[in-house]
Amino acid sequence: MNRFRDAEGGRLMEVTLNSQAAAKALREKLAKAERILRLAEVTRKLETEREKVLPFYESSVEEETRAASSAAEMVKSLQATATARDGSVVEEWDYLGNFFQRYNKVLLDATAMQRERGRLAAENADLRSILKQYLDGISVNDEVLSAPNPLLVVNSRSAVVEGTKTLPIATTVIEASHVAMQVTSGRQGASY
């Protein structure tokens, strides 16, 4: 009888530990869901009127028709898996679809901003280079005097070093008819 009580006590302890672990996991999931809902409320307050009416922007008619056809296909595929026992559509899937539309819109905006930031950084570097060249041309300081400057003329000579001219290299050309005559006459090594 004591062995039975000990076995049942062990099973009761195991069930208790499992139920506590399950309750803890459910509390964590509940806290996460509440946090998501709070964030959704905050973001809903920050949405513009256009975003409330239209969750994402259409950039062209072609993209709109393509998105509509893919959305219809997606709805059909999701409806097959998201139906209740009586065959009605589960509405949570609609909310999830709206979430992913907004999430994708945010990702597109972030990508566009990164590209714009890169373009502006390149433009900024070009403008800084042009401004430095201009300021070097109009100012006189040790840095400008040590570098070649086309505007600086001392004793009727410019400080810019001009490129040196090189003479073309002469190449010897022997016509094939002369080589053929030398080969046939046996005078291979002879010169004129």
Side-chain angles (χ1 to χ4, degrees):
M1 187 71 155
N2 287 336
R3 277 190 284 170
F4 178 73
R5 283 185 183 172
D6 290 341
E8 290 299 314
R11 288 180 58 196
L12 180 61
M13 184 182 298
E14 183 181 342
V15 168
T16 304
L17 291 175
N18 287 340
S19 67
Q20 287 175 352
K24 181 180 177 185
L26 288 174
R27 280 192 298 273
E28 290 173 357
K29 289 181 181 179
L30 179 64
K32 191 177 202 180
E34 287 174 349
R35 182 173 178 261
I36 289 172
L37 288 175
R38 281 194 308 270
L39 288 174
E41 289 174 7
V42 169
T43 57
R44 186 75 170 159
K45 291 176 187 174
L46 298 175
E47 285 181 345
T48 63
E49 288 299 320
R50 184 172 181 179
E51 288 173 337
K52 288 179 183 177
V53 174
L54 185 65
F56 58 95
Y57 306 121
E58 289 86 13
S59 59
S60 69
V61 175
E62 182 180 309
E63 288 180 8
E64 182 178 331
T65 56
R66 195 174 12 173
S69 65
S70 66
E73 292 172 9
M74 181 184 281
V75 166
K76 287 180 184 177
S77 67
L78 288 178
Q79 283 179 350
T81 59
T83 55
R85 289 183 183 171
D86 61 352
S88 64
V89 177
V90 179
E91 292 182 14
E92 287 94 16
W93 289 100
D94 294 334
Y95 297 131
L96 191 60
N98 288 338
F99 166 76
F100 279 119
Q101 286 177 346
R102 290 180 181 166
Y103 180 74
N104 289 336
K105 170 78 170 87
V106 169
L107 285 180
L108 284 172
D109 289 345
T111 304
M113 285 182 204
Q114 287 175 350
R115 286 184 181 177
E116 183 68 11
R117 182 180 296 140
R119 186 191 66 78
L120 289 174
E123 182 180 352
N124 188 16
D126 291 342
L127 291 174
R128 284 180 184 266
S129 172
I130 292 169
L131 181 64
K132 184 180 181 328
Q133 290 174 2
Y134 173 75
L135 290 176
D136 286 348
I138 63 169
S139 64
V140 178
N141 58 26
D142 290 336
E143 182 181 335
V144 172
L145 291 175
S146 64
N149 190 339
L151 299 178
L152 184 62
V153 177
V154 177
N155 294 335
S156 298
R157 285 191 267 158
S158 175
V160 176
V161 178
E162 295 181 12
T164 59
K165 294 182 180 179
T166 59
L167 297 174
I169 299 173
T171 55
T172 306
V173 178
I174 301 174
E175 290 188 17
S177 61
H178 292 292
V179 174
M181 283 182 14
Q182 289 177 355
V183 170
T184 57
S185 65
R187 300 177 28 197
Q188 277 187 318
S191 62
Y192 294 176

